[in-house]
Amino acid sequence: MKKYVMAAALLCCSAPAYAAHPLVTDDTGTQGAGGWQVECTTGFSSNRENDGGIRIKERETEAAMVVSYGLAQDIDIVAGLPYLWYQVKENQLVTADKSGIGDMTLELKWRFCENEKSGFSLALKPGISLPTGDADKGLGAGRVTGGAALIATKEFGPLTLHANAGYHRNVYELDEDAEACNKHVWSASVAGEYAFSDKLRAVADIGIETAEEKGSRTHPAFVVGGLIYSVTENFDFDLGIKGGLNDAEPDTAVLLGVAARFN
């Protein structure tokens, strides 16, 4: 059972969601007409629990490449492809060990409202997930899914705040996935960035989304803290720690990434 729950968790968390890593909450920023951004990120998470005397240890790794291109000054197209690996041990016995590419995402970010004087802006980000992952391994839904997020950003000098409200509709190829996972996934999150200088920013994030398992009343909630260091204006390194605020979220995760922008 634990083996299946782990795979279900990967499936149900596959809604498109790309931000300024290590943040989960997205911002309204775009690349500008003809601008490119390439992000390479990775995350390592672990979780331990005791279920009826059985010691269960879960580990997940996700590496992803996300490419953004500015179709216009306020419109980006974003494509992402993850590589996933998960392992479940019960009393040191490996009950699940799967890896492979996950479902590819395609999104469009449109900043439809911006007031430069007040530093407030709004964006809409619809997206779809393509079935490039192996559904039999628990690495993909097996069908095209889709959703959208409403994004708000407000600047207060060196402090910038972001808020997201999102919805994703999952459709599954396998009957057992459809029976175990919620079809409708809602999410909400708030993040902040504080610029110590032109090169260094501290970031924090907190959010919640619909539980992946049907019937569960514990909705995964997380908190993230981290740093983004700009080596140059167009090249960033980032480091973050993500912690679960309840049992539905992995205990801890280490997040690493780089981002490069060019025209």
Side-chain angles (χ1 to χ4, degrees), residues 11-15 145-148 166-172 177-188 208-216 219-220:
L11 285 177
C12 296
C13 293
S14 62
T145 67
Y167 168 76
H168 194 82
R169 185 178 186 275
N170 288 317
V171 183
Y172 302 100
D177 292 341
E179 292 173 1
C181 294
N182 280 314
K183 181 181 294 185
H184 306 287
V185 176
W186 297 88
S187 62
I208 189 170
E209 69 176 11
T210 304
E212 59 262 21
E213 297 175 61
K214 284 184 177 179
S216 175
H219 302 292

Side-chain angles (χ1 to χ4, degrees), residues 5-37:
V5 169
M6 186 61 141
L10 288 171
L11 285 177
C12 296
C13 293
S14 62
Y18 296 107
H21 202 264
L23 294 178
V24 176
T25 302
D26 207 347
D27 58 64
T28 61
T30 55
Q31 304 307 312
W36 291 86
Q37 177 176 270

Side-chain angles (χ1 to χ4, degrees), residues 53-65:
I54 300 176
R55 297 186 306 276
I56 300 170
K57 181 179 180 181
E58 307 167 348
R59 292 191 295 171
E60 294 181 38
T61 298
E62 177 178 347
M65 176 175 285

Side-chain angles (χ1 to χ4, degrees), residues 91-177:
N91 289 336
Q92 301 303 314
L93 177 65
V94 176
T95 58
D97 194 342
K98 303 293 184 181
S99 63
I101 63 170
D103 286 347
M104 182 179 182
T105 57
L106 291 175
E107 300 172 287
L108 189 73
K109 183 195 285 190
W110 172 39
R111 189 174 60 256
F112 63 88
C113 174
E114 183 175 21
N115 187 317
E116 294 184 3
K117 184 176 180 180
S118 67
F120 179 75
S121 56
L122 290 171
L124 186 65
K125 196 176 186 182
I128 61 172
S129 179
L130 303 177
T132 53
D134 190 333
D136 292 324
K137 291 183 178 182
L139 301 174
R143 293 187 180 180
V144 176
T145 67
L150 179 64
I151 306 167
T153 292
K154 179 70 169 76
E155 298 177 1
F156 301 90
L159 175 65
T160 303
L161 299 180
H162 313 291
N164 289 184
Y167 168 76
H168 194 82
R169 185 178 186 275
N170 288 317
V171 183
Y172 302 100
E173 179 182 28
L174 302 180
D175 292 338
E176 55 265 38
D177 292 341

